[in-house]
């Protein structure tokens, strides 16, 4: 590592440690001021807006497909690339192929290039495993398991959030000259709590699509200050031949929405294929209970 990168790393680590020391006990929350005045009609409006967004993006078709896959490239911005934040080792600026079963947390990825080429990891019914020579062995790589569950949900989020306990209209907010309709979603209670994340969806007033999401991060594989544990994802979508507007780029930012250039990393998605493999590929472990879009109580 050259001198400039080493100095940048020291500064970034110092900044990160300062955040940990400064972090208070109050949990991050993405609730809006509007929500303090909300009524029962806001639940109906929120669910209607979300349903409209799901249809506009073709996400209702996730109910009819069996599987999908995409090649992803993780483009990290300096100096964040120096931090141990990458949950998919060996993926920086290298292609990694992800396979997912819709409306579940069953997924798998394979490193296609670089020093980790050929590595295959998967998540089935919240059991994490590594594939070698066609056989699965249990693995305890927390960050890899986090990556599979998180990126899976970031792609399908608007479709799956329809089933959240709480969905309500949360007002309006401007981003890059566009005034977005906001929809808030979570489970159990609108108050921030450890068991569930909060999601704030920005729905474009004309296209009706979800262009960005601001969400809390209750679980992460690195320590984070509770009051700063949130992130933003900016989406650039492309219509697939299936009729689904899958993301072709996801821009990941820390905390609330900022200008696009102030990102930590980008995920570029290409070579997207629908129903190109059987669900058996992602369920190599026999006898496991299928959880679908849910977690077992022990994982909460």
């Amino acid at each position: 590592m050259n001198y400039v990168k080493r100095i940048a790393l020291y500064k970034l680590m110092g900044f990160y440690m300062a955040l940990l020391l400064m972090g208070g006990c109050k949990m991050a929350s993405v609730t809006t001021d509007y929500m303090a005045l909300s009524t029962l009609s806001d639940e109906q409006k929120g669910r209607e807006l979300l349903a409209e967004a799901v249809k506009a993006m073709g996400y209702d078709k996730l109910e009819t497909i069996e599987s999908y896959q995409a090649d992803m490239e993780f483009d990290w911005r300096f100096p964040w690339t120096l931090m141990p934040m990458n949950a998919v080792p060996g993926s920086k600026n290298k292609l990694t192929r992800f396979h997912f079963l819709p409306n579940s947390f069953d997924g798998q990825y394979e490193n296609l290039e670089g020093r980790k080429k050929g590595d295959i990891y998967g998540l089935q019914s919240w059991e994490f495993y590594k594939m070698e020579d066609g056989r699965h062995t249990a693995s305890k790589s927390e960050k890899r398991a986090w990556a599979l569950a998180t990126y899976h949900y970031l792609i399908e989020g608007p479709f799956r959030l329809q089933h959240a306990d709480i969905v309500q209209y949360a007002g309006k907010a401007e981003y890059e000259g566009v005034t977005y309709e906001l929809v808030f979603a979570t489970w159990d209670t609108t108050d921030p709590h450890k068991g569930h994340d909060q999601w704030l969806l920005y729905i474009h007033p004309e296209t009706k699509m979800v262009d960005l999401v601001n969400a809390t991060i209750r679980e992460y594989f690195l320590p984070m200050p509770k009051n700063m544990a949130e992130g933003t994802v900016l989406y650039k979508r492309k219509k697939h031949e299936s009729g689904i507007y899958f993301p072709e780029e996801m821009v990941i930012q820390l905390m609330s929405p900022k200008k696009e250039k102030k990102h930590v990393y980008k995920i570029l998605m290409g070579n997207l294929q629908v129903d190109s493999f059987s669900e058996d590929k992602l369920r190599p472990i026999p006898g496991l209970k299928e959880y679908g879009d849910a977690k077992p109580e022990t994982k909460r």
Side-chain angles (χ1 to χ4, degrees):
M1 185 182 298
N2 63 37
Y3 177 77
V4 174
K5 287 187 175 181
R6 187 179 294 112
I7 293 301
L9 177 58
Y10 291 158
K11 288 183 177 180
L12 189 58
M13 290 181 68
F15 172 70
Y16 187 74
M17 291 303 297
L19 289 181
L20 290 177
L21 292 172
M22 292 168 55
C25 296
K26 185 178 180 181
M27 285 188 174
S29 177
V30 297
T31 55
T32 65
D33 292 340
Y34 177 94
M35 291 173 60
L37 306 173
S38 64
T39 64
L40 290 176
S41 62
D42 286 314
E43 177 180 353
Q44 180 180 352
K45 183 174 181 178
R47 291 193 179 275
E48 288 175 352
L49 283 170
L50 182 54
E52 190 175 21
V54 166
K55 186 174 182 179
M57 295 187 295
Y59 268 33
D60 52 325
K61 296 177 177 64
L62 288 172
E63 292 181 337
T64 63
I65 67 173
E66 182 179 14
S67 63
Y68 63 96
Q69 69 179 60
D71 294 346
M72 299 190 195
E73 181 178 344
F74 295 76
D75 183 11
W76 286 75
R77 177 170 165 251
F78 184 82
W80 296 104
T81 187
L82 302 176
M83 290 286 287
M85 298 174 65
N86 182 19
V88 186
S91 67
K92 291 180 181 179
N93 301 115
K94 305 294 182 183
L95 288 179
T96 305
R97 180 164 295 159
F98 283 77
H99 298 85
F100 294 124
L101 301 182
N103 204 35
S104 77
F105 286 99
D106 291 350
Q108 196 178 92
Y109 78 75
E110 177 181 1
N111 293 97
L112 299 181
E113 301 176 325
R115 61 186 176 86
K116 297 288 186 179
K117 182 178 179 180
D119 282 3
I120 301 175
Y121 288 90
L123 187 66
Q124 178 189 343
S125 298
W126 296 101
E127 298 293 332
F128 188 65
Y129 62 89
K130 182 177 183 179
M131 293 292 294
E132 290 183 289
D133 299 323
R135 297 181 179 181
H136 59 84
T137 56
S139 176
K140 295 183 179 181
S141 179
E142 184 177 347
K143 62 182 178 180
R144 289 183 173 95
W146 180 91
L148 276 166
T150 299
Y151 297 138
H152 195 168
Y153 206 92
L154 288 181
I155 293 171
E156 300 180 15
F159 169 70
R160 294 162 71 160
L161 287 169
Q162 293 180 107
H163 309 301
D165 296 344
I166 299 168
V167 176
Q168 65 183 83
Y169 182 63
K172 299 176 184 287
E174 184 176 320
Y175 179 79
E176 296 293 333
V178 178
T179 300
Y180 285 89
E181 301 278 14
L182 303 180
V183 173
F184 174 89
T186 192
W187 293 261
D188 288 348
T189 173
T190 56
D191 295 331
H193 57 286
K194 185 178 179 180
H196 301 96
D197 280 308
Q198 298 176 339
W199 293 75
L200 192 62
L201 311 182
Y202 285 60
I203 299 176
H204 195 284
E206 296 177 4
T207 68
K208 308 303 180 183
M209 296 188 188
V210 177
D211 285 356
L212 60 153
V213 167
N214 181 207
T216 60
I217 310 171
R218 302 293 184 224
E219 297 179 3
Y220 194 50
F221 59 90
L222 291 175
M224 289 185 70
K226 290 183 179 180
N227 61 340
M228 303 182 72
E230 66 173 284
T232 293
V233 184
L234 313 179
Y235 293 90
K236 298 180 181 179
R237 302 182 182 277
K238 182 179 180 179
K239 188 176 184 179
H240 184 261
E241 61 185 16
S242 63
I244 302 172
Y245 283 82
F246 283 104
E248 63 174 349
E249 183 175 301
M250 293 185 285
V251 181
I252 312 297
Q253 301 177 333
L254 286 180
M255 301 191 69
S256 57
K258 307 169 183 63
K259 291 185 178 180
E260 181 179 333
K261 65 180 181 180
K262 294 184 178 182
H263 64 278
V264 177
Y265 65 101
K266 297 181 179 181
I267 305 173
L268 310 177
M269 287 179 55
N271 190 28
L272 199 143
Q273 299 177 40
V274 166
D275 289 338
S276 58
F277 63 92
S278 168
E279 66 177 27
D280 294 341
K281 175 184 176 68
L282 303 190
R283 289 175 176 159
I285 308 174
L288 293 184
K289 178 181 177 179
E290 293 184 15
Y291 287 97
D293 184 35
K295 287 184 179 182
E297 289 295 327
T298 56
K299 297 290 184 181
R300 293 181 182 176

